[in-house]
Amino acid sequence: MTIKIDVDMAKCQHYGQCVFEAPNIFRLNNDDKLEYTAVADDSERANVEAAVDVCPMQAIRIVE
Amino acid sequence: MTKPVVIVGASMGGLRAAEALRRFGYLGPITAIGDEPYAPYNRPPLSKDVLKGEVSHEAVAFPQRPATADVNWVLGTRVASADVANSTVTDDTGLVHPFSALIVATGLRPKRLQVPNGGLAGRHAVRTLDDAIALRAELVPGANVVILGAGFIGCEVAATATLLGCSVTVVAPGSHPINRPLGRTLAAEIKRRHEAEGVKFRMKSTVVDLIGEDRVSGVILDSGEVLPCDVFLEAIGSHANTEWLEGNALDLTDGVLTDGALRAVTTGGGSVENVFVVGDVARFANPIFDDVPRRVEHWNIPTDSAKRVGQVLAAQLAGENTATLLSEPFAPIPSFWSDQYDIHLLAFGLLGLADEIKLLHGEIKGDCVFGYYRESKMVGVAGIGMRSTVQGYRSEFKLEG
């Protein structure tokens, strides 16, 4: 099983709060912009859900 | 019939508490009672991005998860009182709601200015969606906007109103905007950037009265100066919503005092086993910093406190031995951000505790990172830009030993 992750980059302000919750999925690049892995193993679900919760812009969702 | 867990407050903290109860295995009934007519929504954008466009519930609503689809949301209903000894709360229609456990998530309300000629239209505060909708409608190009208070909300609205074409004056008693907690150097730079955008400041000043018949047309400062004013925003801090808990011998000195499991503490110092507190109404000690209980109005506190409560309460309701869980520390790393023009501030920690502030990276006119220290130990970090660098310091905030 995999999960699909979508970040609304029009909303994202690159605060990087998600990076601490799901470090395997989200990271800030050298320009401090968010990069993420769009498909992940289901074992990452809890971490990604935590990232969804803490996103200040509420820009992250798990596509079911 | 099984009595529900009753959550009073249907905002972020209440929603996260319901989600956490489910995540930690509680399958029983949950009732969430909120005085606003809306399902839980995200408040921070109300003074920032959302205020620039069309303010709507849709724009800020939190997504609802399948696990909490069966939560009984009682919206548009204010809880008037609680009877902790008998495990009930009573709403303002007189309906009594029995509970197995109570989660207090009633948050804050804005302080309002008391002045002789106060009963005028055109006065605003920003806490709720309806507040933001009402304010947005009056932020028209050319409007004279006076903002009392130069904290984060005052400065964010000043920036947004300026971008919308309003003429903005900020009035505040301090020497610099956001001087506490950011410190003089960063505060002076933020003031400079606001002034470059056309915002005027009347620092070390306050408003002593309003002018107008039905609607505000001006404000009178303590210096005697009169500022023309079409829209008056009061951003002077908050009160914790705890009046409904009075009469239960809880310690309600500035919020609800809690123990490390976020259980309410009585005036005698004991913990109430089935009353928990989440979000910015909770006053708790954070062992990362010290043993002084504080309310913390930062972004992550509702989520972190709700997780802690959900884990403890779900175990307790399942009849498990919670001794180990209860002894674990609650040590969230405070986190917040602010957007003003192209200033994107990101911070971790409790900056206001600092006795020394140092520029760590960059330069004040551009991107920069400041460290906040108390007795040489880092208690906070804040940066404009340089996100990765700011984040690198987050690991400084951890429990000793």
Side-chain angles (χ1 to χ4, degrees), chain A residues 13-17 32 54, chain B residues 65 299 335 339 387-388 391:
Chain A
Q13 292 284 340
H14 314 279
Y15 282 110
Q17 308 275 317
D32 280 346
V54 302
Chain B
R65 296 201 164 109
W299 161 251
S335 164
D339 299 319
R387 303 275 167 75
S388 305
Q391 293 199 333

Side-chain angles (χ1 to χ4, degrees), chain B residues 31-366:
Chain B
T31 297
I33 307 170
D35 61 354
E36 290 183 66
Y38 305 106
Y41 60 87
N42 196 17
R43 290 189 199 280
L46 297 181
S47 57
K48 308 181 179 79
D49 239 32
V50 164
L51 200 57
K52 287 180 206 159
E54 191 78 15
V55 187
S56 67
H57 182 248
E58 194 184 10
V60 289
F62 285 118
Q64 299 264 351
R65 296 201 164 109
T68 47
D70 61 350
V71 171
N72 177 26
W73 295 98
V74 182
L75 301 175
T77 301
R78 198 177 61 85
V79 168
S81 63
D83 182 342
V84 169
N86 286 308
S87 294
T88 62
V89 298
T90 303
D91 71 30
D92 58 1
T93 67
L95 196 62
V96 176
H97 304 261
F99 60 77
S100 60
L102 174 65
I103 300 178
V104 176
T106 38
L108 314 174
R109 66 179 181 278
K111 286 182 186 166
R112 301 307 298 260
L113 181 69
Q114 305 292 327
V115 288
N117 189 28
L120 300 177
R123 294 181 63 181
H124 295 269
V126 186
R127 174 75 184 176
T128 67
L129 180 60
D130 286 342
D131 290 342
I133 290 170
L135 177 61
R136 176 67 187 90
E138 299 201 336
L139 295 180
V140 294
N144 288 308
V145 177
V146 175
I147 298 174
L148 180 62
F152 283 108
I153 289 178
C155 285
E156 286 167 0
V157 175
T160 307
T162 299
L163 293 171
L164 289 169
C166 303
S167 174
V168 179
T169 306
V170 175
V171 178
S175 62
H176 288 76
I178 333 183
N179 194 26
R180 193 184 150 80
L182 292 185
R184 178 66 57 89
T185 309
L186 199 45
E189 175 60 15
I190 287 175
K191 179 166 181 271
R192 188 190 69 77
R193 294 202 195 184
H194 274 278
E195 286 171 334
E197 298 284 346
V199 175
K200 294 176 283 292
F201 286 89
R202 295 290 184 276
M203 300 308 295
K204 298 186 176 174
S205 301
T206 192
V207 170
V208 293
D209 207 357
L210 307 180
I211 299 171
E213 294 288 329
D214 304 314
R215 210 194 137 79
V216 63
S217 61
V219 304
I220 307 173
L221 305 187
D222 53 350
S223 63
E225 184 184 6
V226 174
L227 301 174
C229 177
D230 306 308
V231 182
F232 183 53
L233 174 70
E234 298 158 37
I236 51 177
S238 306
H239 289 293
N241 290 320
T242 57
E243 289 83 355
W244 62 282
L245 286 166
E246 283 170 4
N248 291 290
L250 300 177
D251 187 333
L252 303 178
T253 318
D254 188 25
V256 186
L257 180 65
T258 77
D259 65 13
L262 294 158
R263 297 181 299 183
V265 170
T266 67
T267 48
S271 298
V272 182
E273 281 195 4
N274 67 338
V275 177
F276 294 80
V277 191
V278 301
D280 43 21
V281 70
R283 187 163 62 94
F284 61 93
N286 188 332
I288 292 175
F289 302 98
D290 51 33
D291 57 5
V292 179
R294 298 182 183 85
R295 285 195 311 101
V296 181
E297 298 178 22
H298 290 331
W299 161 251
N300 63 307
I301 298 303
T303 299
D304 286 344
S305 58
K307 274 183 191 165
R308 173 86 169 127
V309 167
Q311 185 174 21
V312 172
L313 181 53
Q316 190 172 304
L317 291 170
E320 293 168 18
N321 183 344
T322 53
T324 310
L325 261 183
L326 289 173
S327 67
E328 287 171 9
F330 178 59
I333 300 171
S335 164
F336 65 93
W337 79 100
S338 183
D339 299 319
Q340 298 163 41
Y341 318 106
D342 59 345
I343 308 170
H344 298 287
L345 181 98
L346 174 65
F348 295 106
L350 291 177
L351 284 55
L353 301 182
D355 52 38
E356 187 187 7
I357 302 172
K358 287 190 268 200
L359 178 66
L360 299 177
H361 304 276
E363 51 179 315
I364 185 67
K365 298 286 181 202

